[in-house]
Amino acid sequence: MEKADRRAKRPRRVTGWTAFGVTVVLGVLLAFSFLSFAGPLAWPVILIIGGIVIWARPPARAWLGLIAGIGTFLLFVGIIHLNDTPCTAIGMISHGPGDGPYSCGGLDSKPWLIVGSVVFVAGIGLFAAARRRVTSG
């Protein structure tokens, strides 16, 4: 009887795109925690959401959302740095095509956008393929 009571207390297993979406959020937070100076502040939230996800028992294929979540964060970094002008090897201020000096700094957004797109599409594609294989077979 104790085993039946324990099963009754656990939530129903989340599946499909809902489970994938929750693990995407977890992947975004993990990428943020590793790539940001404020990352340690995210660890309590990551532990809480991770515990909830584990408690909700998503299928193994839903964990591919971590990949898509990391790609989402990489895309976000690329997008917020679209207007940056990376510095040349000369220094912080160089002369541009206009009348005078201009300031430079920031990241080159192109590598972030390319890698983020590849990782994001790979995560979604792998999940869709795994889901199709399970539902068709």
Side-chain angles (χ1 to χ4, degrees):
M1 193 73 169
E2 187 178 317
K3 192 173 188 179
D5 290 337
R6 194 172 9 167
R7 230 183 282 144
K9 291 180 184 177
R10 296 214 44 196
R12 200 172 50 203
R13 190 177 187 142
V14 288
T15 59
W17 290 100
T18 304
F20 179 77
V22 172
T23 58
V24 166
V25 170
L26 195 57
V28 168
L29 289 172
L30 282 170
F32 171 76
S33 73
F34 288 116
L35 295 176
S36 172
F37 69 91
L41 299 175
W43 275 104
V45 177
I46 290 169
L47 291 173
I48 291 169
I49 292 176
I52 291 170
V53 170
I54 290 170
W55 188 61
R57 300 179 298 144
R61 65 184 174 274
W63 290 99
L64 292 168
L66 290 174
I67 297 170
I70 292 168
T72 303
F73 185 75
L74 296 175
L75 280 171
F76 174 73
V77 170
I79 288 169
I80 62 172
H81 289 285
L82 274 176
N83 292 329
D84 289 356
T85 306
C87 293
T88 62
I90 298 170
M92 286 300 289
I93 297 180
S94 59
H95 295 282
D99 302 273
Y102 69 94
S103 167
C104 65
L107 297 173
D108 184 9
S109 64
K110 186 184 265 186
W112 291 88
L113 293 171
I114 292 170
V115 172
S117 298
V118 169
V119 173
F120 178 72
V121 170
I124 291 176
L126 288 170
F127 175 74
R131 189 166 186 257
R132 189 175 318 122
R133 186 175 32 179
V134 169
T135 56
S136 67

